Amino acid sequence: MAAVGRPRRSCLAVPGSSVKMLGKAQGLPADQVFLDLEDAVAPLAKPDARKNIVAALNEGDWAGKTRVVRVNDLTTPWTYRDVIDVVEGAGANLDCIMLPKVQTAAQVHWLDLTLTQIEKTLGLEVGRIGIEAQIENAAGLVNVDAIAAAPRVETIIFGPADFMASINMKSLVVGALIPDYPGDPYHYILMRILMAARMHDKQAIDGPFLQIRDVEAFREVAKRSAALGFDGKWVLHPGQIDAANEVYQPAQADYDHAELILDAYEHYTSEAGGRLGAVMLGDEMIDEASRKMALVIAAKGRAAGMSRTSTFTPPAE
C-alpha cells in the first residue's frame, strides 16, 4: 500500500506570480499546496515569482500543509535557477520539489544530486526534501517504473493536458470523458501510473480538471481515479477542495468497518480469541486478506483525521 505520511487528497495549485493567491492559499483546507513556477507563470515573471515563493514559504503560516514548489521542466533554461533560488532561500520550509514533464529517471537523479549539494552546503538534512514526478508524455509513461524507483520520489502525478497534446488526443476538455470514445480514454494511463507508484510504495496523484466552476463534474471525474486507488487530485480552485477531500477519503461507514475488521481479526487470532485464522464478523467472513484490505482503508481514514463511530466488543464466553 502507498505511504500515507503526507496526506494529499487535495493538491492546490497556486501561481507564484500572485502574492494575493499565495496569501489566500494558506488559509484554505487543502492537504497540499504547490507554488507554481511553470505553466502558471509567464517567462518574464519567473524571477519575481521565485522571490514571492521564497517569501511565502518563510513568512507564511501553512498550518500543517505539505509545501511543494513546481519548478520548470528540464528542457527549459529556468530549472536550475528555480531549484537553487527556492531551496537556498527557503529549503528549511519546503517539503518537496515537483518536477514536471519527467521523461527519464536520469532527470530525477539530476534533481536529487542538485538538492543533495545544496543541502550539504547549507547544512540542511540531506534527503528530507522529496520529489514529485509529473508524467506528461508518452516517454514519461513508458519509463514510469524507473522514474518511480528514483531517489526521493514521493509521488507520481498524471499531467493530462500536456499528455493529451503529446499523443495527439482529439479533445480540448482536460480530464473529461470523450463522447466519441466508448470507454475511459485515461484508464490505461492512470492504471500504469498507479502500478508503478504502488510497486515502489509511492503515492499516485490524479491531475487537474479545468472546468473549475463545475464542481459536480470534477467530483465525477475524481471518483474514477479514487475508485482505482489514487491518493488525491489536483485542485485549481478553492471550490474543488472540499470535493477532493471527500472523494479521496473513505466514507464514514467504510472507515468504521475497516477498523472493526482490524480489531476483530486481532482478537480472533490471539490466544484469548481462539487463535483462529478465518472467522465471521456479522454476516461476513474475514481472514488475513480481509485484514490487508482493511489496513488500506483504515490508513486512508487515519491520514484524513477521521474518527471512528463504532467499536468492536469481543463476544461473551
Side-chain angles (χ1 to χ4, degrees), residues 215-232:
V215 177
E216 285 310 306
F218 169 88
R219 188 187 300 273
E220 290 305 309
V221 170
K223 284 180 179 178
R224 294 202 296 271
S225 63
L228 297 177
F230 271 64
D231 298 286

Side-chain angles (χ1 to χ4, degrees), residues 69-97:
V69 173
R70 180 167 73 160
V71 299
N72 287 275
D73 79 87
L74 277 168
T75 66
T76 73
W78 304 300
T79 319
Y80 85 99
R81 182 52 61 190
D82 290 343
V83 175
I84 291 171
D85 285 3
V86 168
V87 181
E88 286 190 348
N93 297 309
L94 176 67
D95 296 311
C96 292
I97 292 286

